[in-house]
Amino acid sequence: MDENKEISTLSVAVKLEGLDQVNEELDKVLNKLEKANSLADELASKIKDLCSK
């Protein structure tokens, strides 16, 4: 029974480590999307300024 408990604990630890890596990658993607959104807003603002002249 102890052996199964150890295997179960290890598999949970491996899954959690995998989830941490997934979360890190998602954070990187989110940061890139936020930067892209900011640049898009900046570009839209500049275009709006050019069109209003």
Side-chain angles (χ1 to χ4, degrees), residues 23-41:
N23 283 337
E24 286 175 20
E25 291 303 315
L26 287 173
D27 284 344
K28 289 178 190 176
V29 170
L30 182 59
N31 285 336
K32 288 180 182 180
L33 287 172
E34 287 172 347
K35 287 179 187 174
N37 190 45
S38 177
L39 289 171
D41 287 346

Side-chain angles (χ1 to χ4, degrees), residues 1-41:
M1 196 66 144
D2 279 345
E3 186 179 325
N4 285 341
K5 228 178 189 181
E6 286 178 28
I7 290 172
S8 178
T9 302
L10 284 172
S11 77
V12 168
V14 167
K15 285 181 183 177
L16 289 176
E17 179 64 28
L19 288 176
D20 284 344
Q21 290 174 356
V22 168
N23 283 337
E24 286 175 20
E25 291 303 315
L26 287 173
D27 284 344
K28 289 178 190 176
V29 170
L30 182 59
N31 285 336
K32 288 180 182 180
L33 287 172
E34 287 172 347
K35 287 179 187 174
N37 190 45
S38 177
L39 289 171
D41 287 346

